[in-house]
PDB file of all heavy atoms in Angstrom:
ATOM      1  N   MET A  17      -1.268  24.017  -9.910  1.00  0.00           N
ATOM      2  CA  MET A  17      -1.512  23.672 -11.291  1.00  0.00           C
ATOM      3  C   MET A  17      -2.561  24.647 -11.922  1.00  0.00           C
ATOM      4  O   MET A  17      -3.308  25.292 -11.202  1.00  0.00           O
ATOM      5  CB  MET A  17      -2.044  22.197 -11.352  1.00  0.00           C
ATOM      6  CG  MET A  17      -1.015  21.186 -10.856  1.00  0.00           C
ATOM      7  SD  MET A  17      -1.629  19.539 -11.028  1.00  0.00           S
ATOM      8  CE  MET A  17      -1.679  19.258 -12.736  1.00  0.00           C
ATOM      9  N   PRO A  18      -2.571  24.777 -13.234  1.00  0.00           N
ATOM     10  CA  PRO A  18      -3.531  25.774 -13.876  1.00  0.00           C
ATOM     11  C   PRO A  18      -4.945  25.498 -13.489  1.00  0.00           C
ATOM     12  O   PRO A  18      -5.717  26.352 -13.229  1.00  0.00           O
ATOM     13  CB  PRO A  18      -3.312  25.393 -15.426  1.00  0.00           C
ATOM     14  CG  PRO A  18      -1.947  25.020 -15.497  1.00  0.00           C
ATOM     15  CD  PRO A  18      -1.621  24.183 -14.289  1.00  0.00           C
ATOM     16  N   GLN A  19      -5.353  24.181 -13.396  1.00  0.00           N
ATOM     17  CA  GLN A  19      -6.625  23.792 -12.999  1.00  0.00           C
ATOM     18  C   GLN A  19      -6.932  24.184 -11.568  1.00  0.00           C
ATOM     19  O   GLN A  19      -8.045  24.684 -11.195  1.00  0.00           O
ATOM     20  CB  GLN A  19      -6.961  22.236 -13.156  1.00  0.00           C
ATOM     21  CG  GLN A  19      -6.757  21.821 -14.572  1.00  0.00           C
ATOM     22  CD  GLN A  19      -5.376  21.132 -14.806  1.00  0.00           C
ATOM     23  OE1 GLN A  19      -4.419  21.753 -14.356  1.00  0.00           O
ATOM     24  NE2 GLN A  19      -5.371  20.025 -15.378  1.00  0.00           N
ATOM     25  N   GLY A  20      -5.917  24.061 -10.687  1.00  0.00           N
ATOM     26  CA  GLY A  20      -6.036  24.506  -9.329  1.00  0.00           C
ATOM     27  C   GLY A  20      -6.256  25.991  -9.143  1.00  0.00           C
ATOM     28  O   GLY A  20      -7.057  26.462  -8.364  1.00  0.00           O
ATOM     29  N   GLU A  21      -5.448  26.694  -9.916  1.00  0.00           N
ATOM     30  CA  GLU A  21      -5.604  28.191  -9.960  1.00  0.00           C
ATOM     31  C   GLU A  21      -6.868  28.661 -10.434  1.00  0.00           C
ATOM     32  O   GLU A  21      -7.389  29.647  -9.895  1.00  0.00           O
ATOM     33  CB  GLU A  21      -4.365  28.786 -10.821  1.00  0.00           C
ATOM     34  CG  GLU A  21      -2.951  28.606 -10.211  1.00  0.00           C
ATOM     35  CD  GLU A  21      -1.887  29.085 -11.123  1.00  0.00           C
ATOM     36  OE1 GLU A  21      -2.203  29.426 -12.239  1.00  0.00           O
ATOM     37  OE2 GLU A  21      -0.742  29.207 -10.632  1.00  0.00           O
ATOM     38  N   GLN A  22      -7.437  27.914 -11.379  1.00  0.00           N
ATOM     39  CA  GLN A  22      -8.795  28.250 -11.867  1.00  0.00           C
ATOM     40  C   GLN A  22      -9.820  28.100 -10.768  1.00  0.00           C
ATOM     41  O   GLN A  22     -10.780  28.889 -10.583  1.00  0.00           O
ATOM     42  CB  GLN A  22      -9.115  27.439 -13.140  1.00  0.00           C
ATOM     43  CG  GLN A  22     -10.499  27.746 -13.714  1.00  0.00           C
ATOM     44  CD  GLN A  22     -10.639  29.178 -14.148  1.00  0.00           C
ATOM     45  OE1 GLN A  22      -9.763  29.804 -14.683  1.00  0.00           O
ATOM     46  NE2 GLN A  22     -11.800  29.777 -13.930  1.00  0.00           N
ATOM     47  N   LEU A  23      -9.711  26.890 -10.111  1.00  0.00           N
ATOM     48  CA  LEU A  23     -10.673  26.672  -8.960  1.00  0.00           C
ATOM     49  C   LEU A  23     -10.602  27.791  -7.879  1.00  0.00           C
ATOM     50  O   LEU A  23     -11.576  28.231  -7.347  1.00  0.00           O
ATOM     51  CB  LEU A  23     -10.419  25.313  -8.384  1.00  0.00           C
ATOM     52  CG  LEU A  23     -10.753  24.025  -9.171  1.00  0.00           C
ATOM     53  CD1 LEU A  23     -10.469  22.804  -8.478  1.00  0.00           C
ATOM     54  CD2 LEU A  23     -12.245  24.091  -9.544  1.00  0.00           C
ATOM     55  N   ILE A  24      -9.307  28.203  -7.557  1.00  0.00           N
ATOM     56  CA  ILE A  24      -9.112  29.223  -6.603  1.00  0.00           C
ATOM     57  C   ILE A  24      -9.761  30.531  -6.963  1.00  0.00           C
ATOM     58  O   ILE A  24     -10.384  31.266  -6.140  1.00  0.00           O
ATOM     59  CB  ILE A  24      -7.600  29.431  -6.301  1.00  0.00           C
ATOM     60  CG1 ILE A  24      -7.089  28.212  -5.497  1.00  0.00           C
ATOM     61  CG2 ILE A  24      -7.429  30.719  -5.421  1.00  0.00           C
ATOM     62  CD1 ILE A  24      -5.575  28.193  -5.297  1.00  0.00           C
ATOM     63  N   ALA A  25      -9.619  30.866  -8.293  1.00  0.00           N
ATOM     64  CA  ALA A  25     -10.248  32.082  -8.820  1.00  0.00           C
ATOM     65  C   ALA A  25     -11.801  32.018  -8.723  1.00  0.00           C
ATOM     66  O   ALA A  25     -12.424  33.089  -8.455  1.00  0.00           O
ATOM     67  CB  ALA A  25      -9.826  32.319 -10.275  1.00  0.00           C
ATOM     68  N   GLU A  26     -12.346  30.892  -8.775  1.00  0.00           N
ATOM     69  CA  GLU A  26     -13.810  30.710  -8.698  1.00  0.00           C
ATOM     70  C   GLU A  26     -14.327  30.593  -7.299  1.00  0.00           C
ATOM     71  O   GLU A  26     -15.335  31.194  -6.924  1.00  0.00           O
ATOM     72  CB  GLU A  26     -14.261  29.545  -9.546  1.00  0.00           C
ATOM     73  CG  GLU A  26     -14.076  29.675 -11.072  1.00  0.00           C
ATOM     74  CD  GLU A  26     -14.543  28.458 -11.831  1.00  0.00           C
ATOM     75  OE1 GLU A  26     -15.646  28.000 -11.406  1.00  0.00           O
ATOM     76  OE2 GLU A  26     -13.855  27.987 -12.750  1.00  0.00           O
ATOM     77  N   PHE A  27     -13.615  29.741  -6.449  1.00  0.00           N
ATOM     78  CA  PHE A  27     -14.155  29.400  -5.187  1.00  0.00           C
ATOM     79  C   PHE A  27     -13.381  29.934  -3.988  1.00  0.00           C
ATOM     80  O   PHE A  27     -13.865  29.841  -2.828  1.00  0.00           O
ATOM     81  CB  PHE A  27     -14.252  27.943  -5.070  1.00  0.00           C
ATOM     82  CG  PHE A  27     -15.083  27.144  -6.102  1.00  0.00           C
ATOM     83  CD1 PHE A  27     -14.548  26.598  -7.235  1.00  0.00           C
ATOM     84  CD2 PHE A  27     -16.491  27.164  -5.915  1.00  0.00           C
ATOM     85  CE1 PHE A  27     -15.366  25.994  -8.212  1.00  0.00           C
ATOM     86  CE2 PHE A  27     -17.333  26.565  -6.842  1.00  0.00           C
ATOM     87  CZ  PHE A  27     -16.776  26.021  -7.997  1.00  0.00           C
ATOM     88  N   GLY A  28     -12.204  30.497  -4.302  1.00  0.00           N
ATOM     89  CA  GLY A  28     -11.485  31.042  -3.122  1.00  0.00           C
ATOM     90  C   GLY A  28     -10.426  30.081  -2.682  1.00  0.00           C
ATOM     91  O   GLY A  28     -10.596  28.866  -2.670  1.00  0.00           O
TER      92      GLY A  28
END
Side-chain angles (χ1 to χ4, degrees):
M17 296 179 72
Q19 300 97 316
E21 292 177 347
Q22 179 61 38
L23 289 179
I24 289 173
E26 292 182 42
F27 299 100

